Amino acid sequence: VALAAWAGVLGGCGTPGPRVNADDPSLASVAERSNYTQTARHAEVVALLDRLAAASPLARRVDMGHTTEGRAIPMIVMADPPVATPEEARQAASPGKVVVLAIGNIHAGEVDGKEALPMLAREILLGDQRGLLKDLVVVFAPIYNADGNERVGNNRPTQNGPALTGIRENANGRDLNRDFIKLEEAETTALVGFMNAWDPQVFIDCHITNGSLHRYLISYAGPKGPATDAELVRFCREEMFPAIARDFEASTPWKTFWYGSFGGVFSEDPRDRSTWGTFPAEGRFGTTYAGLRNRLSILVESYTYAPYKDRVLGTRAYVLAALRWAAGNARGVHALLRGADARAIEAGRTGAPVALRSKVGPFPEPVTILGFEEEFKDGRPVSTGRTKDYTCALWDRFEATHSINRPRAYAILPGPVGEKLAAKVRQHGLRTTVLSAASGPRGVEVHRVRAMEPASRAFQGHVLVKIDTEATKSQRALPAGTVLVATDQPLGTLAAYLLEPMCEDGLGTWNAYDPWLKLDGEIGVWRVIE
Ligand SMILES: [Zn+2]
């Protein structure tokens, strides 16, 4: 059904139009045309992608889906030979091409990716970067949060241009980069649908930082958290990101480093300059979520106080370095991800542990952070403009504080709560089976609620809840209509992450288990262990 749906959203650019050169003014971004004072509206991005696609036989225009307000989420797909459907993308990936998806504007005030991605598309299709298509299928969705983009105003007053941008949230007032577990928004539904259908091996998400003071034009992060395949996390940290950083710094005048801020979100002390900390390892973040799906991910954060032009060109250069890396390591990428999928399947068969809660800590080696001498004005740090280097502990290492042995399967009991849960796990791309008749007694583990702790305030339309349970072995018949989610599938780790009630960011966190939350009550999702 998903594949058929994709055939229906093809843009009409199958026939080559008149050929134009890369320097044709009609192929310039709004940032370029305005001398870096403005950013594009939705119609301008769509028109530019249409012109780019018309200018090259290697490009196709496809829509990812539609926003809350019904705007198309436009994509340009670049491949040689061209690719327009998930079947074609998977065919291209099977002999070893890497499918890369890069999105811009998930936070629509953070416009640099929206401008940089079409510029890079132009270079790939008509300029010097065409060789990338020997090893890559490149998909750009520059204006992912299209509704937020159209709410134009002075929405990021401390950002170093452009003066007018969209807002952070979508039309429902939701932060799309917190929606990847609950999947409530049309945009996230479209993006995860794309991931399920096209299976991009690399996911790139372009942002702008929110105010920490440092000298990195681009900062970055990737898969994280102890639930994620450990080899995938290690590979990104020790191999992929250092290689991309070397290329970026060798090919530009700029510096790049792990995303973070002094103290990070973990420190209470705004004057702490001894730690450099990242953000939590929760699956609600897109790049973390892609990691939980055993895929490579790259968070790109340009520096909000850098000039708009530098930020756009820096985002372009960083994404290009990432593409060059993926093209040069296509075989290694496929081997790594095949391994991660196989390990997930095997972990489901053997009942290997999966981490449900985590804490962050420092790496043993200190790092040097390129910053500025700062002054505090009204309790907030302000740069003096004079550079200063800080020796910091890098708080970017997550370890498990609570793990469980994963079961063979999860049994979602029939009923209104279970029905919604089953639909949600399918939306994530998990394979499920439904029992047409009751099964005899099976060995299961049943969760009893020991504590539930709602958050003190609402977040993203929810009051998040931390659930503690005790799981006890039991012999139970599974009723007809039970939905089984096997863990020996490539997304098996994600199944445990979503369905375990004690997970720090599972579906239960987002209130899917609320009707079951009574002290000593049973959760209607059982672990099937025999
Ligand atoms: Zn952002």
mmCIF file of all heavy atoms in Angstrom, residues 245-252 254:
data_model
loop_
_atom_site.group_PDB
_atom_site.id
_atom_site.type_symbol
_atom_site.label_atom_id
_atom_site.label_comp_id
_atom_site.label_asym_id
_atom_site.label_seq_id
_atom_site.Cartn_x
_atom_site.Cartn_y
_atom_site.Cartn_z
ATOM 1 N N ALA A 245 34.649 15.920 9.276
ATOM 2 C CA ALA A 245 35.215 17.154 9.848
ATOM 3 C C ALA A 245 36.541 17.494 9.190
ATOM 4 O O ALA A 245 36.814 18.661 8.878
ATOM 5 C CB ALA A 245 35.385 17.000 11.368
ATOM 6 N N ARG A 246 37.381 16.485 8.962
ATOM 7 C CA ARG A 246 38.674 16.736 8.300
ATOM 8 C C ARG A 246 38.461 17.327 6.912
ATOM 9 O O ARG A 246 39.110 18.293 6.514
ATOM 10 C CB ARG A 246 39.480 15.432 8.197
ATOM 11 C CG ARG A 246 40.210 15.046 9.489
ATOM 12 C CD ARG A 246 41.229 13.940 9.230
ATOM 13 N NE ARG A 246 40.617 12.692 8.771
ATOM 14 C CZ ARG A 246 40.116 11.745 9.577
ATOM 15 N NH1 ARG A 246 40.172 11.905 10.892
ATOM 16 N NH2 ARG A 246 39.582 10.646 9.081
ATOM 17 N N ASP A 247 37.527 16.747 6.162
ATOM 18 C CA ASP A 247 37.239 17.229 4.816
ATOM 19 C C ASP A 247 36.707 18.662 4.878
ATOM 20 O O ASP A 247 37.165 19.548 4.139
ATOM 21 C CB ASP A 247 36.223 16.285 4.150
ATOM 22 C CG ASP A 247 35.914 16.677 2.708
ATOM 23 O OD1 ASP A 247 36.436 17.711 2.232
ATOM 24 O OD2 ASP A 247 35.134 15.969 2.060
ATOM 25 N N PHE A 248 35.755 18.911 5.783
ATOM 26 C CA PHE A 248 35.152 20.246 5.897
ATOM 27 C C PHE A 248 36.212 21.298 6.228
ATOM 28 O O PHE A 248 36.271 22.367 5.610
ATOM 29 C CB PHE A 248 34.065 20.224 6.977
ATOM 30 C CG PHE A 248 33.428 21.566 7.244
ATOM 31 C CD1 PHE A 248 32.411 22.041 6.431
ATOM 32 C CD2 PHE A 248 33.849 22.348 8.312
ATOM 33 C CE1 PHE A 248 31.821 23.277 6.673
ATOM 34 C CE2 PHE A 248 33.265 23.586 8.568
ATOM 35 C CZ PHE A 248 32.251 24.048 7.740
ATOM 36 N N GLU A 249 37.073 20.980 7.188
ATOM 37 C CA GLU A 249 38.070 21.977 7.605
ATOM 38 C C GLU A 249 39.164 22.144 6.551
ATOM 39 O O GLU A 249 39.738 23.223 6.415
ATOM 40 C CB GLU A 249 38.650 21.597 8.972
ATOM 41 C CG GLU A 249 37.600 21.693 10.071
ATOM 42 C CD GLU A 249 38.159 21.605 11.486
ATOM 43 O OE1 GLU A 249 39.353 21.253 11.653
ATOM 44 O OE2 GLU A 249 37.394 21.883 12.433
ATOM 45 N N ALA A 250 39.439 21.080 5.781
ATOM 46 C CA ALA A 250 40.450 21.194 4.728
ATOM 47 C C ALA A 250 39.926 21.961 3.516
ATOM 48 O O ALA A 250 40.695 22.585 2.795
ATOM 49 C CB ALA A 250 40.914 19.794 4.296
ATOM 50 N N SER A 251 38.608 21.928 3.311
ATOM 51 C CA SER A 251 38.067 22.527 2.090
ATOM 52 C C SER A 251 37.395 23.871 2.341
ATOM 53 O O SER A 251 36.859 24.485 1.419
ATOM 54 C CB SER A 251 37.078 21.552 1.431
ATOM 55 O OG SER A 251 36.048 21.214 2.327
ATOM 56 N N THR A 252 37.379 24.348 3.597
ATOM 57 C CA THR A 252 36.775 25.656 3.916
ATOM 58 C C THR A 252 37.673 26.370 4.927
ATOM 59 O O THR A 252 38.560 25.746 5.517
ATOM 60 C CB THR A 252 35.377 25.492 4.568
ATOM 61 O OG1 THR A 252 35.545 25.012 5.915
ATOM 62 C CG2 THR A 252 34.488 24.538 3.797
ATOM 63 N N TRP A 254 36.628 27.244 7.755
ATOM 64 C CA TRP A 254 35.843 27.183 8.990
ATOM 65 C C TRP A 254 36.162 25.966 9.842
ATOM 66 O O TRP A 254 36.708 24.972 9.371
ATOM 67 C CB TRP A 254 34.355 27.196 8.631
ATOM 68 C CG TRP A 254 33.947 28.435 7.919
ATOM 69 C CD1 TRP A 254 34.161 29.724 8.316
ATOM 70 C CD2 TRP A 254 33.253 28.512 6.655
ATOM 71 N NE1 TRP A 254 33.636 30.603 7.391
ATOM 72 C CE2 TRP A 254 33.068 29.895 6.370
ATOM 73 C CE3 TRP A 254 32.757 27.570 5.757
ATOM 74 C CZ2 TRP A 254 32.423 30.344 5.219
ATOM 75 C CZ3 TRP A 254 32.117 28.005 4.611
ATOM 76 C CH2 TRP A 254 31.954 29.380 4.353
#
